[in-house]
Amino acid sequence: MWLGKVLKGNRWFAGPRGDDPESLGSLFGGRFADLHNARFGLPVANGSVAIEIALRALDIRPGDEVIVPAYTFVSTATSVLMVGGIPVFADIDPRSYCLNPDDLHHRIGPKTKAIIPVHLGGHMADMPSILEFAQKKGLSVVEDCAQAIGAGIGPRKAGTWGHLGTFSFQSNKTISSGEGGLVLANDPELADRVIAFRAFGRAEGGRPERSSSVSSVWLSSNYRLSEFHSAVLLAQLERFPVQDDRRQANADYLTNSIGRIPGVEHVRYDQPDMRHGYYYYLIRYEPASFKGVGPERLCEALKAEGIPFLPGDQEPIYRHPVFQSDNLKNSLSGDLLKQYSERIDPAGVRCAAAEEACNRTLVLRHQVLLAEREEMDDIVQALWKVREHLDLLI
């Protein structure tokens, strides 16, 4: 229905600022905001530029430092570099794999301006503690909710705890349009800055002397979402509640079942009234209980049993070559590169919990949680079988 409307209407973009009230983009943004109890849902081209736009809207400038977790997708940190900021890597809580609030005190410096907590795999970060720290230090908070659609703690949903929340609709996400993203906001002024930065820096009333009330004020590029993508997202959003309920039920069943396997646990720290987004179902295992067999070898054995497990991240993000100073020479100015090199030496960064997680984590993607209940039993049986035949894997 929605795609047909775009084709028949011959209108394929959402207006000069992407905020035409009659556009499907605005309709989707409003409905997505309603799902998360937010005032403004502002679609953008993808989840990575959503973070960049959020940082620009919060006036993060070259040389400003932004604290990011060490165990996440790489663009959480590269988005900081894209706006000229300096990503500072903090450790995770091994119970949730999300940013550890207790480590923030060790990472803050005089140039720290913001924190980006990530709701990894759909698990909510400890937002009450992170916000308390941010408020005391006067820091902005951008929630990276790329993997946490529909997640929340009590009535407050992912993306509404911080100043801004960013989402991704890339092809693997629980709501997808192939590529796409969105910024959630409750503050009207911040929302208007996001709208401007997603569309060439166009601001309402930017040049009153012109007949048009919209002109480019800030330097930016084109990050608007097409009407075709919005049409796909509207259809996906309609199916989301039923699919989410199914994922929740299967995840609960799976957690109760794998809890009986020695040395295996679901990565979940139950905060009061937390609803998990279940982009990933993460399993943490004790290497000693599995005779030291690594995640890749375990996944090979589980796949042979028909279970599509994947190893978790193989290294913390600060180990990626992109964060080496030599690889940033063409991206950062001389002064910024010097500041980055002095403040961040990736070879010297140590986030013990993140590094440990890389050696003991197995992942199931959210699609698996849409299967029948009997297939959850198959997952558990495969884990038992592999554990009982570890000698064959060594």
Side-chain angles (χ1 to χ4, degrees):
M1 179 185 82
W2 298 111
L3 279 172
K5 183 174 182 178
V6 177
L7 288 169
K8 292 177 182 178
N10 198 32
R11 172 181 168 162
W12 296 355
F13 91 125
R17 298 213 310 161
D19 62 345
D20 189 316
E22 301 301 318
S23 70
L24 294 187
S26 293
L27 179 61
F28 170 73
R31 291 187 178 182
F32 192 85
D34 289 344
L35 177 67
H36 292 83
N37 302 326
R39 291 186 65 184
F40 305 100
L42 309 169
V44 296
N46 58 64
S48 298
V49 298
I51 300 174
E52 292 179 37
I53 291 168
L55 292 171
R56 292 184 190 279
L58 289 165
D59 203 27
I60 300 302
R61 301 184 179 189
D64 289 345
E65 295 180 3
V66 180
I67 299 174
V68 301
Y71 194 92
T72 181
F73 186 65
V74 68
S75 70
T76 304
T78 55
S79 295
V80 177
L81 288 167
M82 291 297 290
V83 303
I86 307 297
V88 176
F89 304 101
D91 212 348
I92 59 171
D93 185 332
R95 299 170 299 176
S96 67
Y97 282 26
C98 298
L99 184 66
N100 189 342
D102 293 337
D103 197 44
L104 293 173
H105 300 277
H106 305 296
R107 311 297 175 173
I108 192 171
K111 294 187 177 181
T112 306
K113 293 295 190 298
I115 306 170
I116 305 180
V118 178
H119 305 310
L120 193 87
H123 193 301
M124 289 292 295
D126 185 354
M127 293 309 300
S129 298
I130 292 171
L131 283 185
E132 181 181 6
F133 179 86
Q135 289 165 359
K136 285 181 180 178
K137 302 297 184 180
L139 306 177
S140 299
V141 176
V142 176
E143 291 174 74
D144 183 343
C145 313
Q147 301 177 1
I149 298 170
I153 303 173
R156 295 186 69 172
K157 300 295 185 180
T160 66
W161 289 81
H163 294 85
L164 294 168
T166 66
F167 291 80
S168 170
F169 307 122
Q170 182 263 352
S171 61
N172 285 330
K173 300 303 186 290
T174 51
I175 292 178
S176 172
S177 54
E179 291 287 359
L182 181 138
V183 181
L184 276 188
N186 280 319
D187 184 319
E189 292 185 10
L190 278 179
D192 199 58
R193 287 176 66 86
V194 169
I195 292 170
F197 279 115
R198 76 176 171 187
F200 306 105
R202 288 170 173 161
E204 292 282 3
R207 293 179 64 182
E209 71 275 13
R210 292 175 60 113
S211 58
S212 171
S213 61
V214 177
S215 57
S216 294
V217 175
W218 297 299
L219 180 64
S220 191
S221 189
N222 176 20
Y223 303 118
R224 295 168 300 190
L225 191 70
S226 78
E227 289 287 87
F228 280 101
H229 288 86
S230 296
V232 173
L233 289 169
L234 280 164
Q236 293 262 309
L237 189 60
E238 290 171 350
R239 302 191 303 176
F240 178 76
V242 172
Q243 292 182 337
D244 188 45
D245 285 344
R246 188 181 185 90
R247 280 190 290 265
Q248 298 290 335
N250 276 334
D252 288 345
Y253 180 83
L254 194 55
T255 298
N256 290 332
S257 299
I258 69 166
R260 304 185 186 100
I261 305 175
V264 178
E265 64 178 346
H266 173 32
V267 176
R268 177 166 179 146
Y269 173 57
D270 278 320
Q271 304 172 58
D273 301 321
M274 186 190 77
R275 187 175 183 86
H276 201 296
Y278 282 118
Y279 172 69
Y280 283 148
Y281 186 94
L282 294 173
I283 289 178
R284 180 182 177 91
Y285 72 94
E286 293 290 341
S289 296
F290 283 77
K291 300 187 176 182
V293 177
E296 290 189 353
R297 188 73 181 98
L298 284 178
C299 288
E300 288 176 7
L302 289 163
K303 286 179 181 177
E305 298 299 319
I307 309 301
F309 270 101
L310 299 169
D313 291 345
Q314 301 296 285
E315 57 186 2
I317 58 171
Y318 51 77
R319 299 277 185 239
H320 285 246
V322 66
F323 297 111
Q324 303 301 317
S325 296
D326 285 348
N327 294 329
L328 292 171
K329 288 179 179 178
N330 294 329
S331 304
L332 298 181
S333 68
D335 289 342
L336 279 178
L337 185 62
K338 180 181 178 182
Q339 179 186 333
Y340 176 84
S341 300
E342 291 174 348
R343 184 72 170 96
I344 304 298
D345 175 13
V349 175
R350 287 294 179 269
C351 293
E355 300 206 11
E356 183 183 42
C358 295
N359 297 314
R360 57 191 301 179
T361 304
L362 307 178
V363 176
L364 285 173
R365 288 179 171 156
H366 64 87
Q367 294 91 340
V368 176
L369 296 177
L370 295 176
E372 299 298 326
R373 179 58 53 86
E374 310 86 75
E375 293 174 274
M376 300 302 104
D377 292 326
D378 291 342
I379 294 170
V380 178
Q381 290 169 11
L383 284 166
W384 272 113
K385 183 176 180 180
V386 169
R387 190 180 186 280
E388 291 169 355
H389 295 85
L390 290 170
D391 289 338
L392 299 177
L393 305 182
I394 299 174

